[in-house]
Amino acid sequence: MTTPHPPHPSAPSSTLEALRLPPFHLDDAGIAWVADQLRTLTTEQKVRQLFNVAAHGDDEAQVAALAALGVGGVTRFGGTDLDASWRATRALIERSEIPLLISGDIEGGAIGLPFGTALPNQLGLAATGSTALAEEAVTVLAREARAMGYNWTFTPVTDLNAAFRSAIVATRSYGSDPDTVLAQARVNVATFQRHGIAATAKHWPGEGFDDRDQHLVTTINPLDMPAWREHFGRIYRGLIDDGLMTVMSAHIALPAYAREHGATGLELCRPACVSRVLNEDLLRGELGFNGLIVSDASGMAGLSSWADRAECIPEVIANGCDVLLFPSPFEADFEHVMRALSDGRLTEARVEEAVTRVLGLKAALGLHRKTLDELLPPLEQARAVVRQPAHLAVEQRVASASVTLVKDVRGLLPLSVERHRRIVVVTDPARGGFAGQAPKEMEVPALLAAQGFEVRAFDPAQPPTLADTDLVLYLLAQESLLVQSHIYLDWARLHGHWTTAMRRYWHDIPCALVSFGQPYYLYDAPRMPCVVNAYTAASPVQHAVVRKLLGAEAFTGISPVDAFCGLPDAAY
């Protein structure tokens, strides 16, 4: 059953009344709380509520100081210690007069709680081919996030893996099929919101057909409007009808829609986060979205390359975003907005409309009536929730189900000590983690050694030969990356020198490639005879891969993308 689309609010008073409608569903008490806050807060305090700042690390004093800013929300990037992360969040909550929206990219894989249950990223979940398994996994993510005080997740990623060279979409998407993306995203939204965490569809108006990264440049959604409506329009409308609470408006342009509304020249490429046409006309008007719109991170070059910060920061709010994500720094961006209010570039009516939705989301989540222990459960309770035995059981099931055999054209598998005892491992010595995080340890060599294989690292000075090697095993682990244009097989780095970069071993020695991340390495090695995609290097996934390589478990994963990259020779 689809929910009727609410009328598009045209004034602050109608915005308040619209909080009774989906996705807020406020009752009289909730409306009264929002109205009371609107009467009490000064204009400056209302503007502060429109900012969401980043809290990096677990220094309690530094994190708690953010509460003094009076902002509407904080995104927590905690460390690797559960106790320290909990204490920092507690200090933040205790010092906030108005309850905070506490957010995070709770995606799975390399992006999530570093001390939490290790679950696949979105591409890995889609590879299980099961929305039921995905619901189990997202339930674990939601329970552990709530235990750590989160009430807002910047998921699901609803982008499409159309341009396979995109390093930023890569493993964060549910794949290239809109039906799969919508089905999986619906599970994500329903599960998080059932656990009291607002979900966020991103990145509006849709990424994945431009292989560049909006962290580096304003990217372009090149679809014409019939194609856009069939792809992203259908995804967003489906989620909106389901009660999606928030949308992240990104640094992505949609020239086809801008052209329909009279834009010409450079204005065709105006990023969504500062586009009234995309936020108000398309998202709110055509699709009927009544929830909260948050910008993508304002420090990204997709915005900063568009206009001077003093100009574009107020435009984020003026052109339809209710929350500005990651001011940099807060004091300067706050002054940019206040100055725009004073000179008329931003109206008080627009601020009132935006802050009404911010407060409405808080009320919809019940933050205004929760005790401190309801906002953040006691530490002992958090410890009991995170990585509990039931969650670890899900971790194992999902890890095993996600691993995908892309091809094995020479019948290499299963591996055996009798046939493949001497293994040379080739791996990327310079791989990185998402947003500067340390990459996960590569455990596969030790796991194989424990099974009796003789495993040594590739040495460019003594490259493998058939006389001393039974298998050359490429182990790569590069999930989605920020600020890197592309993920690819850097043969010179893998093989140690530009001359050995041109050497291919599979005609002489059995070869296999396992990717614990990027699923598109066949683009650079189409004739690699055996390829396994595992999507993330989480420890349970690595263990599952070894079991499958040895034939102890069957491969059941289904590729959510064209791992052959459309190449005519890659399947052979």
Side-chain angles (χ1 to χ4, degrees):
M1 177 178 178
T2 57
T3 304
H5 292 148
H8 182 223
S10 58
S13 59
S14 63
T15 304
L16 182 62
E17 283 304 305
L19 298 183
R20 298 184 184 277
L21 301 171
F24 299 101
H25 298 287
L26 293 194
D27 57 16
D28 288 344
I31 293 289
W33 180 80
V34 173
D36 184 61
Q37 296 299 316
L38 292 173
R39 284 191 299 269
T40 304
L41 295 173
T42 65
T43 298
E44 178 178 312
Q45 289 171 323
K46 290 175 181 177
V47 170
R48 288 175 180 270
Q49 283 290 304
L50 309 185
F51 286 86
N52 184 300
V53 299
H56 294 277
D58 295 325
D59 184 285
E60 292 181 43
Q62 289 181 1
V63 172
L66 298 175
L69 299 176
V71 294
V74 174
T75 298
R76 287 283 288 118
F77 296 96
T80 58
D81 182 79
L82 184 153
D83 289 19
S85 184
W86 182 94
R87 291 190 181 95
T89 301
R90 186 80 168 195
L92 179 65
I93 293 173
E94 287 175 341
R95 290 161 176 78
S96 300
E97 293 185 16
I98 299 175
L100 285 166
L101 293 168
I102 298 181
S103 53
D105 290 315
I106 309 169
E107 297 180 21
I111 310 172
L113 300 177
F115 45 77
T117 300
L119 293 160
N121 46 43
Q122 289 193 182
L123 197 63
L125 287 183
T128 68
S130 169
T131 53
L133 267 179
E135 183 174 0
E136 288 189 56
V138 179
T139 297
V140 171
L141 291 174
R143 286 174 178 166
E144 296 190 356
R146 279 294 301 120
M148 297 304 296
Y150 290 90
N151 51 49
W152 191 10
T153 176
F154 295 147
T155 63
V157 177
T158 54
D159 300 329
L160 291 165
N161 291 62
F164 63 84
R165 293 299 257 178
S166 170
I168 190 61
V169 175
T171 55
R172 301 177 78 190
S173 166
Y174 288 118
S176 56
D177 175 47
D179 290 333
T180 298
V181 171
L182 177 55
Q184 291 280 347
R186 279 181 150 150
V187 168
N188 186 287
V189 170
T191 305
F192 270 116
Q193 293 189 173
R194 186 169 62 248
H195 286 83
I197 299 176
T200 309
K202 65 183 184 185
H203 302 85
W204 173 261
E207 188 71 290
F209 284 81
D210 185 336
D211 68 8
R212 299 172 299 169
D213 179 1
Q214 55 162 323
H215 292 82
L216 298 173
V217 63
T218 305
T219 55
I220 306 295
N221 186 316
L223 299 179
D224 60 29
M225 288 314 297
W228 183 90
R229 290 184 175 95
E230 180 59 27
H231 290 81
F232 295 107
R234 185 155 56 90
I235 292 168
Y236 278 91
R237 185 181 292 277
L239 297 179
I240 290 166
D241 287 346
D242 287 355
L244 173 72
M245 300 187 87
T246 73
V247 167
M248 180 176 286
S249 188
H251 316 310
I252 304 168
L254 183 58
Y257 194 76
R259 185 176 292 108
E260 285 185 1
H261 287 70
T264 59
L266 183 59
E267 279 299 310
L268 291 169
C269 301
R270 175 175 284 271
C273 61
V274 288
S275 171
R276 186 171 301 155
V277 165
L278 293 179
N279 294 326
E280 297 289 349
D281 295 339
L282 183 54
L283 181 56
R284 294 206 185 280
E286 182 173 322
L287 298 186
F289 182 60
N290 186 44
L292 179 143
I293 302 175
V294 56
S295 79
D296 208 338
S298 64
M300 292 161 63
L303 179 60
S304 65
S305 64
W306 174 256
D308 176 77
R309 202 162 182 86
E311 174 187 340
C312 65
I313 290 301
E315 285 189 336
V316 170
I317 304 301
N319 290 340
C321 291
D322 304 304
V323 172
L324 186 139
L325 187 62
F326 304 162
S328 181
F330 169 79
E331 292 77 10
D333 285 350
F334 175 74
E335 285 303 317
H336 292 326
V337 174
M338 294 302 294
R339 192 171 299 112
L341 258 179
S342 67
D343 64 25
R345 287 176 292 143
L346 175 63
T347 66
E348 290 202 21
R350 173 65 196 121
V351 169
E352 193 83 357
E353 181 185 27
V355 75
T356 299
R357 289 199 186 94
V358 172
L359 296 168
L361 181 60
K362 295 181 179 188
L365 295 170
L367 305 185
H368 62 304
R369 60 174 183 265
K370 288 184 176 180
T371 65
L372 181 59
D373 282 350
E374 289 172 329
L375 292 169
L376 176 65
L379 179 55
E380 296 74 15
Q381 185 176 332
R383 289 175 181 151
V385 169
V386 176
R387 292 189 63 77
Q388 62 179 273
H391 291 184
L392 297 182
V394 173
E395 176 186 83
Q396 294 297 319
R397 286 198 298 275
V398 178
S400 179
S402 66
V403 180
T404 306
L405 178 61
V406 176
K407 70 172 183 176
D408 182 16
V409 296
R410 297 182 185 173
L412 172 70
L413 302 179
L415 302 181
S416 69
V417 173
E418 292 74 26
R419 291 191 300 142
H420 311 106
R421 179 171 53 86
R422 300 166 300 175
I423 299 177
V424 170
V425 169
V426 186
T427 192
D428 189 343
R431 65 188 178 90
F434 188 83
Q437 298 173 359
K440 294 180 174 65
E441 178 187 356
M442 184 55 68
E443 302 175 50
V444 171
L447 294 173
L448 289 172
Q451 295 295 319
F453 293 90
E454 297 174 9
V455 184
R456 72 182 191 275
F458 179 86
D459 181 356
Q462 293 182 310
T465 68
L466 190 57
D468 60 23
T469 304
D470 301 311
L471 173 66
V472 178
L473 180 60
Y474 292 83
L475 297 176
L476 303 171
Q478 194 64 77
E479 295 183 54
S480 291
L481 279 179
L482 304 180
V483 301
Q484 180 165 315
S485 294
H486 297 111
I487 299 171
Y488 61 98
L489 283 180
D490 188 334
W491 288 107
R493 194 162 65 189
L494 291 172
H495 286 179
H497 193 266
W498 71 268
T499 55
T500 52
M502 296 178 280
R503 180 76 168 89
R504 302 293 176 266
Y505 295 101
W506 51 71
H507 297 297
D508 307 315
I509 309 168
C511 287
L513 182 151
V514 180
S515 174
F516 294 97
Q518 171 79 342
Y520 297 118
Y521 286 124
L522 279 172
Y523 185 77
D524 301 301
R527 298 301 308 282
M528 180 71 70
C530 181
V531 175
V532 173
N533 280 339
Y535 312 105
T536 181
S539 180
V541 173
Q542 294 195 51
H543 282 255
V545 164
V546 170
R547 293 194 300 271
K548 292 172 188 292
L549 291 176
L550 299 180
E553 286 182 8
F555 288 92
T556 58
I558 303 168
S559 182
V561 297
D562 175 17
F564 301 105
C565 308
L567 297 173
D569 56 341
Y572 301 99

